[in-house]
Amino acid sequence: MASKVPDEPPLDFKAFYQQYHRAYLRYAKLHLGNREAAIETVELAFAELLQCWPDVLTAPSVQRYAQSVLRSAIHSRLVRTGRASAFVETAVFDRVRATARRQLEVMESSLGLYAAIANLPERQLDVIIFRFVLGYDLPRVAEIMGVSNGTVRSHIHAARRQLARELGIRGTSRGNSMEEEEIV
């Protein structure tokens, strides 16, 4: 049950906020399509976490719990505004802007990839977004999501297989070590 929000957030909540706020903002912006909506949604998610912070701390993984609250806040906003996730458009736009040369080639080739990524199961999608779209290293992705490095690697491997099937790409002889490869 939610309790009264204290006047001053606990130190451990402040530390959690500082550690994950930027990653959550970047993640929300990919789905919502604009910074203002992302800020509002992330702040709502953190406010919800603060309301039940003592309960959050008893969860098996604080990060996993917090990410589920964030995903729920994003989903609620999308439903409320009647929009679908802007992931495909936002990711393509950000990628093209970051690599101004070859704009049309990148957009055309990336659009199919990002559309395929958007169809991945939830956990695989999150791993791919944090690791390859937002550029966090594998240990940071594991930390953000509240899972082990092995779980992140497993989700990457499963996502890679599904993306290859969906995009009609055969396996390569380079091996399966995708931790160091760029997907997008």
Side-chain angles (χ1 to χ4, degrees), residues 1-2 10 12 15 62 74 98 102 105 119 132 144 149 179 181:
M1 190 80 189
D12 51 1
V62 172
I74 291 168
R102 300 178 31 228
E105 294 172 29
N119 290 327
F132 298 102
I144 289 169
N149 288 352
E179 292 83 45
E181 290 181 44

Side-chain angles (χ1 to χ4, degrees), residues 66-127:
Q67 191 191 11
S68 71
V69 169
L70 175 64
R71 282 182 79 50
S72 178
I74 291 168
H75 177 74
S76 293
R77 182 172 190 110
L78 290 171
V79 167
R80 192 171 63 250
T81 59
R83 295 189 59 214
S85 173
F87 167 71
V88 173
E89 298 85 6
T90 305
V92 168
F93 179 76
D94 286 353
R95 182 74 171 184
V96 167
R97 185 177 53 186
T99 57
R101 56 197 161 108
R102 300 178 31 228
Q103 287 182 358
L104 291 175
E105 294 172 29
V106 172
M107 189 181 305
E108 287 176 17
S109 65
S110 295
L111 190 57
L113 175 61
Y114 286 123
I117 289 171
N119 290 327
L120 289 171
E122 181 177 293
R123 301 305 271 171
Q124 291 175 20
L125 173 65
D126 289 347
V127 165

Side-chain angles (χ1 to χ4, degrees), residues 11-180:
L11 286 177
D12 51 1
F13 178 84
K14 287 180 181 181
F16 184 85
Y17 181 95
Q18 278 190 311
Q19 187 168 8
Y20 296 102
H21 188 263
R22 183 171 190 267
Y24 285 10
L25 270 179
R26 293 180 71 203
Y27 179 84
K29 184 177 180 277
L30 276 175
H31 285 287
L32 298 173
N34 73 65
R35 183 168 171 74
E36 293 76 26
I39 290 169
E40 182 179 311
T41 303
V42 168
E43 293 308 319
L44 285 171
F46 274 109
E48 183 178 331
L49 289 169
L50 180 57
Q51 280 187 317
C52 59
W53 188 244
D55 295 330
V56 173
L57 292 176
T58 65
S61 170
V62 172
Q63 294 88 346
R64 194 173 329 164
Y65 186 102
Q67 191 191 11
S68 71
V69 169
L70 175 64
R71 282 182 79 50
S72 178
I74 291 168
H75 177 74
S76 293
R77 182 172 190 110
L78 290 171
V79 167
R80 192 171 63 250
T81 59
R83 295 189 59 214
S85 173
F87 167 71
V88 173
E89 298 85 6
T90 305
V92 168
F93 179 76
D94 286 353
R95 182 74 171 184
V96 167
R97 185 177 53 186
T99 57
R101 56 197 161 108
R102 300 178 31 228
Q103 287 182 358
L104 291 175
E105 294 172 29
V106 172
M107 189 181 305
E108 287 176 17
S109 65
S110 295
L111 190 57
L113 175 61
Y114 286 123
I117 289 171
N119 290 327
L120 289 171
E122 181 177 293
R123 301 305 271 171
Q124 291 175 20
L125 173 65
D126 289 347
V127 165
I128 297 302
I129 287 173
F130 282 120
R131 175 70 181 99
F132 298 102
V133 178
L134 297 177
Y136 291 106
D137 66 13
L138 190 134
R140 180 71 171 143
V141 173
E143 179 187 348
I144 289 169
M145 293 183 64
V147 298
S148 70
N149 288 352
T151 299
V152 172
R153 281 191 291 273
S154 176
H155 286 314
I156 289 171
H157 183 71
R160 184 178 191 198
R161 283 194 319 262
Q162 183 166 333
L163 290 170
R165 274 193 309 273
E166 191 166 330
L167 297 172
I169 300 169
R170 298 181 136 214
T172 66
S173 60
R174 290 177 45 176
N176 291 328
S177 177
M178 199 162 138
E179 292 83 45
E180 301 307 318

